[in-house]
Each structure stands twice: as C-alpha cells, then as structure tokens.
Amino acid sequence: MTPTRSASRHVAPVAPASGAAVSRWLAGGIAAGPVFLAAGVAQGVAREGFDFSRNALSQLALGEAGWVQTVNFLFAGTLLVMGAVGLRRLLGGNRGGTWGAVLIGVFGASFWVAAVFPADAGAGFPAGAGDSTVMSSHGSVHMAAGMAGYLALCVALVILAGSLADRGHRGWAVASRLVPVAVLAGFAASAASVVAFTAGASLGLLWLTAVTTRLACDSVDH
C-alpha cells in the first residue's frame, strides 16, 4: 500500500499589495477631503444667504442649486470607499487593513446616506428660510448618518495610528490618536458654534487625506 497524503496544504499568508495599482485606489482617499471641502466652500461663497458662521455645509444641498452639493456628497463618498479599498490592499490583514479599512468604508457610505437624506433648512438658509430649524425625518437620518460616519472615522484613525507606528512614523501615530479628540470636541460644541462643528469635520477629512498620503508614499517607496 502507498502511504496516503494529507489533503491539507500549507498556504502562505498573502502579503499586503503595493505599487501603482494600490496607489490608484489610495488616490481616492487622498482626494476626498480636499475635493469635498473645496466644492463646499465655493458653493458657500456663491450661494445667496449662506453664512459660514451660521450654516453647515450640509445645508448647501437645499434649494434650487442643492443638486451640486448632493453630487458632492455622492462623489466624496465614492472617493472615500476607493480609499478604503486601497488601505485594505496596502495593509493586508492587520488591524489597519481590516478594521481601519472597513471603518473608512462606513465613513464613505455615510456620505451617500447624507446625499439621499438632506439636512433641514434653518438659520436663514436657503434664502427665505427662518432662523429656527424644525427637525424632519430626513434631517434626523442625515444627522444620524453624519454622527455614525464621523465616529467610524475617529476609530479608524486611532487604528491606523498603529499601522503608522509599525512603519516607523511615531509622530504621525501620536497625531492620529489626538486628531479624533479635536474632531469630537468640534461635534460636541456644534450646538453653540457651527464654526466649531465645521472645523472639527474638516479636520477629520483633511487628516485622513494626510494619513492616506503618508501610507501611499510608503507603498511607492517599497
């Protein structure tokens, strides 16, 4: 009799992907924040009645030209999901590549939800709206999506701090743990100051751009 061979085989772990293909996916995560914010600022300057000290960028989806901000939400969400795919391919099966990427994907999906369920009018915008805001069902979903999305982003940044530290970027890792504190502080102050809310949300987006850029440079270097 010939000895039976084991049907099981040793499968080598899959190494994280790198190179130009991954960089193209990561480019989405890099572009998302600057594109979304630049489009929002441009609309805020151009739209009648919009006041950066009183109105959130989400309200730009209201009114006759609101479709521009709706497209901005959809496009930014798509770019963020692209970035999540890139992080997964770059970092592989570690915590950053698994949970970090998943949570960035959740953050991107929250932009899609925000596009479908717009914010409520109020604080004088759109032009002709009253100062008070009456919470609607779609406004409640919009707010919940934003809160869930940014919480996911904050946790993702803390997780990605571990990936940065593993690659020798200690300063980046420390900053990536501190930025979520500032983002959440901005959200906590939103009832008293729209500027604080906008600053916190913008900081989260731009820091994600910075972290993704740092990791993308690593993929090119290697």
Side-chain angles (χ1 to χ4, degrees):
M1 294 179 61
T2 58
T4 58
R5 294 182 179 178
S6 171
S8 62
R9 294 181 180 179
H10 174 71
V11 179
V14 178
S18 62
V22 172
S23 295
R24 284 193 291 269
W25 286 103
L26 291 173
I30 293 170
V35 168
F36 181 80
L37 293 174
V41 169
Q43 292 176 79
V45 171
R47 297 282 300 275
E48 179 185 356
F50 190 86
D51 184 344
F52 287 98
S53 68
R54 301 181 66 204
N55 304 116
L57 294 181
S58 293
Q59 289 182 290
L60 289 167
L62 304 172
E64 188 174 333
W67 66 269
V68 178
Q69 182 66 356
T70 298
V71 171
N72 193 25
F73 270 118
L74 293 171
F75 186 50
T78 300
L79 291 175
L80 287 166
V81 171
M82 284 179 60
V85 173
L87 288 171
R88 170 61 182 172
R89 294 190 174 190
L90 174 66
L91 301 175
N94 62 22
R95 289 183 67 208
T98 302
W99 290 109
V102 167
L103 289 168
I104 296 302
V106 170
F107 183 49
S110 75
F111 277 65
W112 293 337
V113 176
V116 176
F117 298 92
D120 290 310
F125 191 83
D131 287 338
S132 61
T133 299
V134 178
M135 187 66 70
S136 65
S137 56
H138 61 79
S140 297
V141 174
H142 181 94
M143 183 178 295
M147 291 176 61
Y150 269 91
L151 283 173
L153 172 64
C154 288
V155 176
L157 290 176
V158 172
I159 292 173
L160 290 172
S163 298
L164 290 164
D166 290 343
R167 290 163 181 260
H169 308 304
R170 302 292 179 180
W172 283 80
V174 171
S176 202
R177 294 185 177 101
L178 293 177
V179 165
V181 177
V183 172
L184 294 176
F187 273 63
S190 61
S193 171
V194 172
V195 173
F197 168 80
T198 302
S202 300
L203 175 62
L205 275 168
L206 293 177
W207 186 249
L208 177 60
T209 290
V211 168
T212 308
T213 301
R214 176 64 271 177
L215 294 171
C217 289
D218 285 347
S219 74
V220 172
D221 293 341
H222 294 86

